Amino acid sequence: MSFIELKNVCKQYPNTDKKAVTDFNLKIDEKEFIAFVGPSGCGKSTTLRMIAGFEAITSGELYIDGKKMNEIAPRDRGISMVFQNYALYPHMTVEKNIGYGLKNMKVPADEIKKKVDWAIDILGLSEYRYRKPKNLSGGQRQRVALGRAIVKNQKVFLMDEPLSNLDAKLRVSMRNEISKLHRSLGSTTIYVTHDQVEAMTMADRIVIMKDGIVQQIGKPMELYEHPVNKFVAGFIGSPQMNFFDVTVDGEQITFSDGNRIQVTAEMAEKLNGHNHKMILGIRGEDIKFDSQNLDVFKENRQQAIIDNTEIMGNENNLYFEFGGTTTVARVSKYEVCNIGDKVEFIFVPHKMHFFDSETEQAIAL
């Protein structure tokens, strides 16, 4: 049996017609790291708060370790939670902040000291032990908040956008800290974030939500390579997948600006079972400019004028108008173009995605 299970969980606030969360179903194994992602207002934090017990479940069932939790108080659910705003006591030192929850639980003083020492050591906070929060950086404060959670020795950790207040460099280092901590503790972790990079780099599986509804659940690369709809395809990956309105006629695909490419007979057969008008999606790294790909797929060579470039260090993003929209290609750092350059490129055929123009659901190829 799954360690955590949500069955048809819904949340509807009073005096509203629309549900904040609709029919949320998920089974989580013990020691698994799950990330909830989606845009603001999609219901990910609301779902986390229902698991924690801070929000009542309108309908559906929640089980933790085989026990129904709908009516169980938060303190009795066996969870620890880390928030976005740290919620540290400003008048307490690092060690007292970490041990405060244990003191409230009437844990013996010698055991508190042992656990606090362990947390301070594992989180690299030794030199800050006697500092107060105002004398700590954002990353150090977040580590204190993590320390306060892990000393309770709970089996479930819930994290609600814990890194969103940190700068980019700190977020990267703290992602690594949290991932290592999860593995060393052997805990079950549910992590809420709006940052798909955090989800992709940390989670065993990702739950993508939109408007309170689960869009897709899967391992990071499953979602990246096999999105079930246009929303998932556009949400996962940076830069975002390029999308084009196209018409399919036999083996020919026509873009809204009149450009055309040919597809294989096998692909055409699958596509022609659908509406002729559809959406073509392709990721930036699957738009190729090199001579080898241009030669292999020479029948589908296209031309464009570079409008803008982004030099990223390890790679470059090239922007140009094609197919009636602004298109971005992600190329190696050695492929340098200047604004105004005329370029030739191809779409890698087997990397193209197609979506129904009305439902935006993926068309299986």
Side-chain angles (χ1 to χ4, degrees):
M1 184 177 181
S2 302
F3 185 64
I4 299 175
E5 185 172 2
L6 295 92
K7 293 183 177 181
N8 304 113
V9 168
C10 297
K11 178 66 182 181
Q12 186 166 1
Y13 291 100
N15 304 316
T16 59
D17 296 327
K18 188 178 178 182
K19 292 177 181 177
V21 177
T22 302
D23 286 333
F24 191 105
N25 289 280
L26 178 64
K27 294 181 179 180
I28 302 173
D29 292 332
E30 194 167 8
K31 301 183 180 181
E32 195 171 13
F33 194 122
I34 296 288
F36 293 172
V37 296
S40 297
C42 71
K44 56 188 184 294
S45 289
T46 300
T47 304
L48 193 79
R49 291 176 65 83
M50 285 192 285
I51 296 170
F54 301 148
E55 293 277 3
I57 295 173
T58 304
S59 62
E61 298 172 338
L62 166 68
Y63 294 88
I64 298 178
D65 202 12
K67 299 174 184 176
K68 189 175 178 180
M69 291 288 161
N70 290 50
E71 307 301 328
I72 302 299
R75 66 177 179 274
D76 299 322
R77 296 192 179 195
I79 61 172
S80 287
M81 192 157 180
V82 180
F83 298 94
Q84 175 181 346
N85 62 0
Y86 317 136
L88 302 179
Y89 296 104
H91 62 287
M92 292 185 183
T93 62
V94 166
E95 67 171 2
K96 288 184 177 178
N97 261 290
I98 292 174
Y100 185 72
L102 297 176
K103 185 177 179 181
N104 277 350
M105 295 165 64
K106 310 298 183 186
V107 175
D110 60 337
E111 189 175 342
I112 292 177
K113 184 179 185 310
K114 188 185 298 182
K115 288 188 174 185
V116 170
D117 287 348
W118 167 77
I120 285 176
D121 179 61
I122 199 172
L123 291 168
L125 291 167
S126 298
E127 62 181 291
Y128 313 110
R129 185 181 193 110
Y130 302 111
R131 291 191 190 180
K132 293 180 179 179
K134 67 179 180 180
N135 297 317
L136 300 173
S137 69
Q140 290 157 1
R141 291 178 195 174
Q142 193 56 270
R143 277 186 276 166
V144 175
L146 286 169
R148 187 176 52 195
I150 66 176
V151 293
K152 293 180 181 178
N153 199 31
Q154 305 287 26
K155 289 187 176 181
V156 180
F157 287 97
L158 307 181
M159 300 189 184
D160 192 4
E161 303 208 39
L163 308 184
S164 60
N165 289 337
L166 305 182
D167 61 40
K169 185 177 180 181
L170 269 177
R171 283 203 302 271
V172 172
S173 63
M174 284 304 299
R175 285 203 310 254
N176 186 46
E177 294 280 351
I178 291 173
S179 295
K180 289 195 297 183
L181 194 59
H182 166 77
R183 291 193 296 270
S184 66
L185 295 175
S187 58
T188 304
T189 301
I190 304 176
Y191 187 100
V192 164
T193 179
H194 64 275
D195 186 341
Q196 52 97 10
V197 175
E198 284 183 16
M200 291 285 286
T201 55
M202 297 170 72
D204 298 316
R205 286 190 298 153
I206 300 172
V207 179
I208 300 182
M209 299 181 69
K210 177 189 177 187
D211 297 331
I213 298 171
V214 173
Q215 301 295 304
Q216 189 172 358
I217 301 171
K219 295 180 179 179
M221 289 310 297
E222 288 175 2
L223 303 181
Y224 189 81
E225 294 180 344
H226 305 290
V228 298
N229 58 35
K230 182 187 174 186
F231 174 79
V232 173
F235 192 85
I236 294 292
S238 180
Q240 178 180 291
M241 182 182 283
N242 299 288
F243 296 107
F244 307 90
D245 293 323
V246 299
T247 302
V248 179
D249 186 8
E251 296 178 16
Q252 183 170 272
I253 294 175
T254 304
F255 293 80
S256 61
D257 64 355
N259 282 297
R260 295 182 177 88
I261 60 174
Q262 296 292 121
V263 296
T264 64
E266 182 183 4
M267 184 180 291
E269 185 178 355
K270 293 176 180 178
L271 292 175
N272 281 287
H274 299 267
N275 190 329
H276 286 307
K277 292 187 179 297
M278 57 187 67
I279 300 165
L280 185 156
I282 191 159
R283 299 202 180 276
E285 65 266 30
D286 298 320
I287 301 175
K288 301 296 186 181
F289 295 76
D290 61 284
S291 57
Q292 183 176 352
N293 276 293
L294 287 172
D295 186 53
V296 171
F297 303 110
K298 55 181 176 291
E299 69 279 4
N300 281 332
R301 284 189 183 192
Q302 305 293 331
Q303 293 185 338
I305 304 293
I306 298 297
D307 289 334
N308 193 27
T309 62
E310 292 177 339
I311 308 303
M312 309 297 288
N314 63 328
E315 62 191 21
N316 299 324
N317 292 332
L318 308 179
Y319 291 84
F320 52 91
E321 290 297 317
F322 178 77
T325 188
T326 299
T327 303
V328 56
R330 186 167 68 179
V331 300
S332 78
K333 63 182 179 181
Y334 304 108
E335 296 179 83
V336 180
C337 288
N338 297 311
I339 295 172
D341 284 355
K342 188 174 184 179
V343 295
E344 285 191 312
F345 64 91
I346 58 94
F347 290 176
V348 178
H350 61 279
K351 293 293 186 178
M352 294 189 296
H353 300 259
F354 291 89
F355 306 92
D356 186 280
S357 59
E358 294 180 2
T359 66
E360 297 191 349
Q361 296 298 302
I363 297 170
L365 296 178

